[in-house]
Amino acid sequence: GILPNLTFKTTLGADIASSVRQTYYPRTSPVGAETSGRARQAERSLSNLNFQSLLTWAPKFGDDQELEVLGGYEFTRFDNRGFESEMRGFLTDAFQWNNLGAGNPEGSPTPVSYIQQSKLASFFARANYGFKNKYFITGVLRNDGSSRLAPGNKWAVFPAVSASWRLSEESFLKNGMFSNLNLRVGYGLQGNQAVRPYGTQLLLRTDNSAKYPFGSSVITGFAASQVANPDLKWETSVQTNIGLDYGFKDNTFTGTIEFYQKKTKDLLFEVPVAQPAVVTNRLENVGSLSTSGLEASLDAQLISNSSMSLTSGLVLSVERNQVDELGLNRQFITAGAVNGQGQSGKNSQRLIPGKPIGTFWGAKFAGYNSNGEQLFVKYKVTRDAAGRETSRTVDGTTTSPGGDDEVIIGNANPAFSLGVRSNGTWNRFDFSWLWRAEVGRDVFNNTALVYGTTSNVNQARNFLRSALKAKDALGQPAIYSSRWIEDGSFVRLQNATVGYTFRMPGLSSRDTRVYVSGDNLLLFTPYSGYD
């Protein structure tokens, strides 16, 4: 320490990793036969350097008060770079990846090299104050700066304050049923700078699509891969929470109950760029999102003696979110691209003001007609002079749904999540398990959309067994609709572990433990697709 009750600490850390991947597909392999051999060598290097300085002051004010004031500075530099080269068209497999020059440059991809660097700097202060071991308050102030954001928006201030009251220390609750009862409240701002490096700038790329003939030579040119956004700034969340920590019967039973509300503005999101443009999407700050939730837990010491112990716990989580607005008077933003033949440009979700993130959008499946054609609910929509929908009524069915026939068809968010955990011992054995469940969520089965229809039969394509039982007429196309939105609720045995501890001969002073552990051992779900 510098002075009594004053300490200074400096930490310097580095995380450095590098790797080389070498791959060769022989000319006799299914992949290599297409290109007469295919060699690839890729090098990756990643380094994070971190510097932190902390100054802490903790004066003494007697037995009833405690105070700690901390100030600090932190700087982190991220460096990600790599090189990759691939060559095709070899006369022999003898060289593998050790002689890329033996391949044919014609028809081989352009070599790739890159470097991504970013910096994050933070000035921060924190003060903790406690009185009579019952009343506590904490204040935090941060000033964070990120090189990933646009000039003029790189720095932002994020304050927070929290307080707690140990009710179980008050005379009116002491020696009562609660061995611990603590009330907590908090309010604060948080920032998110989850932007890829150079995410605000115009970026150019070189690849095979940028090669052009000039005279008798082929020149590799440049094409835009990203348009500039000089206004990109921090995504900011304001959160308020209130919680209660409890314990009774000498903390044989303990747990927490917490409610929170969060408002996030300037959401970082990829949105379509007005066409014509050099790219289709760009990262922008769009709109705001409200989130609220409840988290509760209960842990119980069920058995505790010299030969056996058993502790079990229950965790419940309920969360709801809603898009408040999307900026620029946007009515929606599409998301969740649909993959598969004939699905180009199709999206499975929309961000809609007043609805949650994860809202599935599409036509409602209504069965089949007598010819085995898929039917979808058809709607009659009326609009005002500004083009806004004023009414919607069902108008029969159709085999070719249009834009007016698309509605909300699902929600990817669970109604609630539940976890049950247990830990125990019996003599020298120990065991633990964790069950986890999510209830009331929808999942889009893209695999079934692509391989669950009879259109693949006429094209010599693979298909799922479920297609044999489908009522579709032979050759019916794959059409995205509520038909492919399934109940994704599940109950899963996430982990189970059994161990045994013993003393090895000759090592009587040290314990040796052997164990068997498994993940994802059981799964119960109505969802028919891949886990």
Side-chain angles (χ1 to χ4, degrees):
I2 303 174
L3 296 171
N5 307 320
L6 185 66
T7 59
F8 179 76
K9 180 180 179 181
T10 297
T11 304
L12 180 64
D15 184 1
I16 301 174
S18 62
S19 64
V20 177
R21 175 171 290 185
Q22 299 166 321
T23 309
Y24 183 72
Y25 297 97
R27 297 180 302 159
T28 55
S29 69
V31 176
E34 296 181 0
T35 57
S36 189
R38 181 176 170 185
R40 175 176 172 267
Q41 182 156 314
E43 300 179 5
R44 302 285 187 267
S45 175
L46 178 65
S47 66
N48 297 335
L49 300 178
N50 178 266
F51 171 81
Q52 186 182 80
S53 290
L54 300 175
L55 184 64
T56 306
W57 180 50
K60 301 297 183 181
F61 294 118
D63 296 334
D64 286 344
Q65 300 184 72
E66 52 185 290
L67 175 67
E68 181 186 73
V69 180
L70 179 147
Y73 169 75
E74 186 173 16
F75 175 82
T76 304
R77 174 175 175 172
F78 305 91
D79 190 306
N80 181 18
R81 61 184 72 198
F83 170 80
E84 179 178 324
S85 182
E86 181 177 315
M87 194 65 71
R88 304 172 182 179
F90 290 87
L91 298 177
T92 175
D93 292 331
F95 298 117
Q96 296 186 354
W97 54 77
N98 295 311
N99 189 358
L100 296 180
N104 184 3
E106 296 294 330
S108 297
T110 303
V112 175
S113 62
Y114 64 89
I115 180 171
Q116 293 181 338
Q117 294 178 318
S118 63
K119 301 173 184 178
L120 178 65
S122 302
F123 297 90
F124 53 89
R126 184 186 70 206
N128 297 321
Y129 176 74
F131 182 67
K132 290 190 174 181
N133 200 33
K134 292 189 293 186
Y135 314 106
F136 303 90
I137 186 168
T138 298
V140 177
L141 185 65
R142 298 184 62 93
N143 188 18
D144 295 326
S146 172
S147 66
R148 301 187 181 193
L149 302 172
N153 294 318
K154 294 181 181 295
W155 289 90
V157 177
F158 303 105
V161 62
S162 63
S164 64
W165 178 16
R166 295 189 64 182
L167 293 163
S168 54
E169 292 296 313
E170 297 290 355
S171 57
F172 56 85
L173 282 179
K174 216 162 190 178
N175 301 320
M177 64 175 293
F178 290 101
S179 48
N180 177 50
L181 193 63
N182 185 48
L183 179 65
R184 298 178 283 106
V185 294
Y187 171 86
L189 275 68
Q190 294 176 314
N192 176 19
Q193 53 103 34
V195 177
R196 56 183 173 269
Y198 323 117
T200 66
Q201 303 172 30
L202 170 66
L203 298 183
L204 303 177
R205 60 177 169 81
T206 58
D207 57 27
N208 283 355
S209 64
K211 288 184 176 180
Y212 299 93
F214 285 90
S216 59
S217 302
V218 176
I219 305 299
T220 300
F222 294 91
S225 61
Q226 176 179 284
V227 293
N229 185 351
D231 301 317
L232 206 62
K233 56 186 175 182
W234 288 85
E235 178 183 286
T236 305
S237 297
V238 180
Q239 180 166 323
T240 303
N241 64 283
I242 180 170
L244 188 69
D245 306 317
Y246 64 88
F248 50 93
K249 289 193 175 181
D250 292 327
N251 284 344
T252 300
F253 298 92
T254 59
T256 63
I257 301 174
E258 184 158 5
F259 175 77
Y260 61 89
Q261 284 188 321
K262 181 166 67 173
K263 176 88 169 184
T264 304
K265 65 177 183 177
D266 299 321
L267 293 165
L268 292 168
F269 205 80
E270 290 273 357
V271 298
V273 175
Q275 298 298 308
V278 293
V279 296
T280 57
N281 298 286
R282 89 168 176 172
L283 192 65
E284 293 185 7
N285 295 104
V286 294
S288 60
L289 172 73
S290 294
T291 306
S292 60
L294 172 70
E295 295 179 349
S297 68
L298 172 64
D299 290 282
Q301 182 71 50
L302 301 177
I303 302 174
S304 180
N305 56 52
S306 59
S307 61
M308 183 180 295
S309 68
L310 177 62
T311 301
S312 291
L314 182 70
V315 179
L316 171 68
S317 177
V318 180
E319 184 175 276
R320 300 290 183 265
N321 72 75
Q322 175 184 289
V323 177
D324 295 323
E325 52 96 11
L326 295 172
L328 300 178
N329 295 318
R330 293 186 180 95
Q331 296 183 10
F332 62 86
I333 295 176
T334 57
V338 178
N339 296 311
Q341 185 179 16
Q343 308 301 322
S344 178
K346 192 67 180 177
N347 290 279
S348 63
Q349 295 185 357
R350 280 188 178 184
L351 276 71
I352 307 172
K355 303 299 179 182
I357 287 181
T359 295
F360 289 109
W361 181 268
K364 273 191 176 182
F365 180 65
Y368 305 88
N369 62 18
S370 58
N371 296 323
E373 296 176 299
Q374 300 172 79
L375 294 176
F376 307 91
V377 177
K378 181 176 178 58
Y379 292 93
K380 183 178 180 180
V381 178
T382 58
R383 293 181 169 84
D384 59 19
R388 292 186 293 265
E389 181 179 326
T390 57
S391 66
R392 172 183 292 262
T393 56
V394 175
D395 189 26
T397 58
T398 178
T399 58
S400 302
D404 284 348
D405 302 320
E406 295 183 343
V407 293
I408 294 174
I409 57 176
N411 184 355
N413 301 283
F416 65 89
S417 302
L418 195 66
V420 179
R421 57 178 181 256
S422 292
N423 298 275
T425 62
W426 178 57
N427 294 324
R428 292 184 175 273
F429 288 95
D430 62 86
F431 49 88
S432 65
W433 60 83
L434 170 63
W435 288 88
R436 192 168 68 87
E438 289 188 4
V439 179
R441 63 175 303 181
D442 295 319
V443 176
F444 166 40
N445 192 339
N446 202 154
T447 303
L449 168 70
V450 176
Y451 298 106
T453 56
T454 59
S455 60
N456 292 333
V457 177
N458 294 336
Q459 303 176 54
R461 293 173 179 265
N462 289 326
F463 53 87
L464 294 172
R465 183 180 299 169
S466 60
L468 298 175
K469 301 178 181 179
K471 298 179 181 179
D472 303 64
L474 195 65
Q476 271 287 291
I479 301 176
Y480 169 72
S481 71
S482 61
R483 176 183 178 182
W484 312 109
I485 305 297
E486 300 185 27
D487 182 1
S489 302
F490 68 85
V491 177
R492 180 199 307 274
L493 179 56
Q494 190 82 39
N495 174 270
T497 301
V498 177
Y500 181 74
T501 302
F502 62 97
R503 295 287 175 87
M504 291 282 287
L507 296 174
S508 58
S509 61
R510 303 187 65 179
D511 287 335
T512 299
R513 178 176 178 264
V514 294
Y515 66 93
V516 176
S517 183
D519 292 326
N520 302 326
L521 299 175
L522 294 172
L523 177 67
F524 305 94
T525 178
Y527 179 62
S528 65
Y530 284 113
D531 172 20

